[in-house]
Amino acid sequence: MEEEIIAVFKKNGFSLDEEEEIAKKCLSFCINYNLKPSDIVSSWEVYYLNRQLDESTVQNAQMDGFLQYLQDVQKEAAIMEESDLHFYSSKDVDMILNDEDGDTKEGVLGSPTEKSQGLYSEPFDSTPQTNGGIFSSGKPFKHVTPFGQRTDKFVVKFNTNNMPNAENRENELAHENNDDDIIRKVQPRERCSLIVHGSGPEPGCRFMYDRIDDRFNALENRIKRHTTALVASGLYEETVDPTVASQKSIFAVGMICCDGEGHLNEKSILLQSSVEHSGGQRVRLELQKLSQFSVFPGQVVGIEGHNPSGHCLIASKLVDSIPLSTAADVNLHPAKKQALDQEIQSTDLSHKQEELSVIIASGPFTTTDNLSFEPLTELLAYATRKLPQVLILLGPFVDSEHPEIKKGTTDRSFDEIFHVEILRRLQDHVEYMGSNARVILVPSIRDANHDFVFPQPAFEIHSPNLKHQITSLTNPGTFEANQVKIGCCTVDILKHLSGEEMSRNPADGTPIDRMSRLANHILRQRRFYPLYPPAEGIPLDFSLAPESLHISSIPDILILPSDMKYFVKVLSLGEGGEGGEQVKCICVNPGRLAKGEGGGTFAELNYYGGPDTSNASIIGI
């Protein structure tokens, strides 16, 4: 079994500095936690990515930290399985000792569920309150929580500052007196323009009605679209059937598939071509001659190579991106492209330069020990001080994975929690901030109060007073604010791609930023969710607006919230040839606003014309 562990590590691109010692420790982990070698390597990959380790060498010194990670995962799994099980810690003791209510009617060691239920006996106070110039909304929260006792508030975890010095000085002057409420309200930021794009499903649509032919047509159209774009670029020959034996070099386009269940490996890669060229047949794909590649199931690629036997296509070149010069025209229907051009032209006069300030936060918006939404309240207070032009909030808002939601111990409906705890707070916020404030909401498939389907319709916001300031998008969704194109998707595609991708790094040892590579797959495939079959638990419905998963043009900012570690990266996309067009995009994973009983992170971004003249920060709540 030790040899199998070493072999699986190497197959996934990892080397071991002390093979025997690491194999022995991993064997003990397998025995103690009932894991397979493949499970150990998958867990190591998540551990490796979350800590952003620079090298792909597994070191013996890292095994203690890896063991702690495995123990934490097992503990979380035990909590999920045992609904009545609670792991007490020093935090619980502190909460009991610091209980301000002094209520002795209940037992001192009442269960967390009982205590949390008591938090909602008082009615919600929707009156906006200001304390020292800081906005707050919500019912009085008397109980001391671990989140409320945190010491490090609004600490910058990561920062990129590319903004010109002159712009920095103007920004500092604008916020020099940010503690003065009156000045802030008299001199608010300029209201930004907003255009919502996309053809997502409508609220109240019927779902779970997709048929086999819907799936077939969606996959076939993807392959045809890539084929048309690659041939139209003039860089490649006309595509042919890759399953036919030929001694000559050919060019074929198809979708990467796996031969059987499980993860991709070098002997299980298949290429499925279109019905037009091969009748939808699959052929084995050999990538041994390629020095570098990255593939995953559902990826549409162009292959140059030859198939001497008719049973195996030997690749000499792999093309995984649509040329930029043809992508926009191919991806958009003429009517939609014309409408989009008119919308863009209509805003050209009012906004000459692409400038935008945004705050981006992804749910959950409350900690796991209660449903009082303290992190959201703190975020809105921060936004009140910083005055962003757009506040982008991505679900889940009423998280179906929250212990009280999952166990059904709350005495309120999911819709009531959403309207009282989320919308009413946001309404208070925008009323206090004035008419220039804008809030964007994007739902998640983990929202207990919304349709469990992907792509997902927008939230229905019935209040006419809110619609001009609070806008809900579909999931995924695309919009423009001050001509800055922004795309976002709340499904954790980065985590899903990480578990399914198979890659080979350059032999010269050039360091590879894996998170950038995973995010680049989204842009190269022009699709918010290019993985097929989808990950377990993703309700992908091909009968609902399949075009809404499409990325018609490269956005300036791409928001991909994930359970993986937060980041802000500049992605480059282009042909790579001499004089070839190149496009840059800022990709943001803001992290989760709440993590367990503590605070998480969010992102603050100031966009000034392009990624190279913008700055971004990841901030701990």
Side-chain angles (χ1 to χ4, degrees):
M1 193 169 180
E2 290 181 8
E3 294 177 355
E4 185 180 354
I5 291 171
I6 294 172
V8 176
F9 267 113
K10 291 183 176 179
K11 187 171 71 173
N12 283 270
F14 295 103
S15 58
L16 289 69
D17 66 342
E18 299 178 28
E19 285 192 358
E20 291 187 9
E21 287 297 320
I22 293 175
K24 286 179 181 179
K25 291 182 179 180
C26 288
L27 177 59
S28 67
F29 299 162
C30 289
I31 295 171
N32 292 337
Y33 300 116
N34 193 26
L35 300 172
K36 300 175 183 177
S38 58
D39 297 332
I40 283 287
V41 176
S42 297
S43 297
W44 169 260
E45 194 167 30
V46 175
Y47 175 80
Y48 159 85
L49 287 170
N50 282 342
R51 281 148 187 80
Q52 294 189 333
L53 303 179
D54 294 331
E55 300 178 1
S56 59
T57 302
V58 182
Q59 299 179 5
N60 190 27
Q62 298 166 338
M63 286 294 104
D64 291 338
F66 182 47
L67 172 60
Q68 183 63 47
Y69 166 77
L70 291 175
Q71 291 173 343
D72 291 342
V73 171
Q74 293 294 319
K75 177 180 174 182
E76 290 176 6
I79 293 174
M80 298 294 287
E81 291 175 4
E82 299 289 342
S83 58
D84 297 326
L85 183 63
H86 178 72
F87 287 82
Y88 284 92
S89 66
S90 58
K91 293 179 181 178
D92 297 287
V93 178
D94 291 339
M95 289 173 65
I96 293 168
L97 293 177
N98 293 308
D99 190 350
E100 295 177 358
D101 284 352
D103 187 359
T104 58
K105 292 181 181 179
E106 296 185 12
V108 175
L109 291 179
S111 71
T113 301
E114 292 170 332
K115 294 197 74 175
S116 59
Q117 281 181 316
L119 301 178
Y120 310 109
S121 58
E122 301 176 8
F124 184 92
D125 180 10
S126 63
T127 307
Q129 301 170 352
T130 57
N131 183 9
I134 298 177
F135 172 86
S136 66
S137 172
K139 59 175 143 321
F141 191 69
K142 298 180 181 179
H143 291 261
V144 178
T145 62
F147 179 83
Q149 289 182 312
R150 73 198 190 286
T151 55
D152 296 332
K153 299 181 181 180
F154 302 109
V155 176
V156 177
K157 306 276 188 180
F158 174 81
N159 183 53
T160 61
N161 192 348
N162 299 318
M163 196 165 63
N165 292 332
E167 301 282 7
N168 269 324
R169 285 197 297 272
E170 289 179 12
N171 196 45
E172 289 171 5
L173 289 172
H175 297 289
E176 185 175 359
N177 296 318
N178 65 355
D179 288 330
D180 192 329
D181 241 5
I182 298 176
I183 293 179
R184 262 206 322 275
K185 295 207 68 173
V186 172
Q187 299 177 344
R189 284 196 182 218
E190 181 183 355
R191 179 177 172 87
C192 69
S193 64
L194 183 66
I195 301 173
V196 177
H197 297 306
S199 54
E202 296 294 329
C205 63
R206 299 198 330 159
F207 53 93
M208 294 179 64
Y209 285 90
D210 65 330
R211 300 165 297 180
I212 293 177
D213 57 341
D214 291 325
R215 294 173 178 266
F216 169 80
N217 290 331
L219 298 176
E220 180 71 8
N221 289 337
R222 279 187 66 196
I223 298 173
K224 284 184 177 179
R225 183 182 289 112
H226 278 248
T227 303
T228 303
L230 290 171
V231 174
S233 69
L235 302 174
Y236 308 99
E237 303 173 359
E238 286 289 335
T239 57
V240 299
D241 183 356
T243 64
V244 175
S246 173
Q247 298 296 329
K248 298 190 301 181
S249 177
I250 62 172
F251 180 71
V253 177
M255 184 176 71
I256 298 292
C257 305
C258 183
D259 184 11
E261 296 182 2
H263 296 293
L264 281 180
N265 58 61
E266 293 185 1
K267 294 185 178 180
S268 67
I269 305 175
L270 301 177
L271 184 73
Q272 176 180 318
S273 188
S274 66
V275 172
E276 178 184 355
H277 291 98
S278 69
Q281 294 185 68
R282 299 178 176 182
V283 64
R284 183 168 170 255
L285 183 61
E286 177 65 67
L287 302 178
Q288 286 291 343
K289 289 187 176 181
L290 302 183
S291 60
Q292 179 182 359
F293 62 82
S294 174
V295 295
F296 58 88
Q299 181 184 26
V300 180
V301 296
I303 299 291
E304 284 186 0
H306 62 284
N307 186 355
S309 64
H311 302 292
C312 179
L313 178 61
I314 303 172
S316 57
K317 182 178 181 180
L318 185 148
V319 182
D320 63 351
S321 179
I322 297 177
L324 292 172
S325 56
T326 60
D329 293 332
V330 170
N331 288 341
L332 279 179
H333 294 300
K336 290 182 181 178
K337 186 175 187 301
Q338 183 179 3
L340 176 59
D341 291 340
Q342 291 174 353
E343 286 175 334
I344 292 174
Q345 289 171 7
S346 67
T347 59
D348 279 344
L349 298 176
S350 58
H351 292 279
K352 297 293 184 183
Q353 190 174 1
E354 299 174 350
E355 294 185 3
L356 188 69
S357 62
V358 295
I359 288 179
I360 306 164
S362 175
F365 291 93
T366 188
T367 53
T368 56
D369 56 337
N370 59 63
L371 283 171
S372 48
F373 290 84
E374 290 176 281
L376 176 60
T377 302
E378 293 277 358
L379 178 72
L380 295 179
Y382 182 87
T384 302
R385 298 193 298 272
K386 290 293 185 175
L387 302 172
Q389 291 174 297
V390 182
L391 174 63
I392 303 175
L393 303 180
L394 306 111
F397 296 93
V398 184
D399 188 6
S400 59
E401 296 297 319
H402 190 283
E404 293 187 32
I405 299 293
K406 200 166 187 176
K407 292 184 289 186
T409 56
T410 178
D411 58 355
R412 298 180 292 174
S413 70
F414 302 147
D415 282 334
E416 182 183 356
I417 294 173
F418 179 71
H419 284 89
V420 171
E421 301 289 0
I422 304 296
L423 286 186
R424 192 176 296 180
R425 276 181 167 87
L426 296 178
Q427 181 178 6
D428 292 343
H429 173 73
V430 296
E431 286 177 355
Y432 177 76
M433 294 296 294
S435 60
N436 288 353
R438 281 196 184 275
V439 179
I440 304 290
L441 302 181
V442 184
S444 164
I445 60 174
R446 281 169 52 181
D447 274 308
N449 64 308
H450 202 43
D451 297 333
F452 182 67
V453 65
F454 183 72
Q456 195 172 23
F459 289 121
E460 289 189 87
I461 300 176
H462 298 288
S463 174
N465 298 329
L466 296 179
K467 286 188 176 181
H468 71 288
Q469 286 185 279
I470 301 179
T471 305
S472 180
L473 303 184
T474 58
N475 174 33
T478 307
F479 66 99
E480 284 187 38
N482 284 359
Q483 298 187 46
V484 179
K485 293 189 279 275
I486 302 175
C488 45
C489 177
T490 59
V491 171
D492 198 345
I493 180 60
L494 294 176
K495 187 176 181 180
H496 299 165
L497 282 176
S498 172
E500 297 293 339
E501 181 205 38
M502 173 191 165
S503 63
R504 177 182 295 162
N505 295 333
D508 58 5
T510 304
I512 298 295
D513 183 351
R514 188 165 188 231
M515 293 309 299
S516 293
R517 186 176 69 205
L518 293 175
N520 253 320
H521 283 313
I522 312 298
L523 300 180
R524 289 177 176 273
Q525 292 291 298
R526 302 291 196 277
R527 196 167 181 83
F528 283 106
Y529 198 89
L531 187 66
Y532 187 83
E536 184 178 359
I538 302 301
L540 186 60
D541 191 324
F542 285 97
S543 66
L544 285 180
E547 293 297 319
S548 64
L549 295 178
H550 223 19
I551 299 177
S552 58
S553 60
I554 303 300
D556 299 305
I557 302 171
L558 179 63
I559 306 172
L560 300 174
S562 173
D563 290 334
M564 306 182 84
K565 190 173 181 179
Y566 54 78
F567 64 80
V568 177
K569 296 184 182 295
V570 176
L571 308 179
S572 297
L573 195 69
E575 279 90 324
E578 292 185 4
E581 182 185 0
Q582 191 175 56
V583 173
K584 290 187 177 181
C585 167
I586 300 177
C587 184
V588 182
N589 170 19
R592 304 296 184 183
L593 191 67
K595 289 187 176 181
E597 295 182 359
T601 57
F602 64 94
E604 185 173 6
L605 176 64
N606 291 296
Y607 189 92
Y608 288 88
D612 296 329
T613 54
S614 303
N615 66 356
S617 301
I618 299 292
I619 302 169
I621 188 70

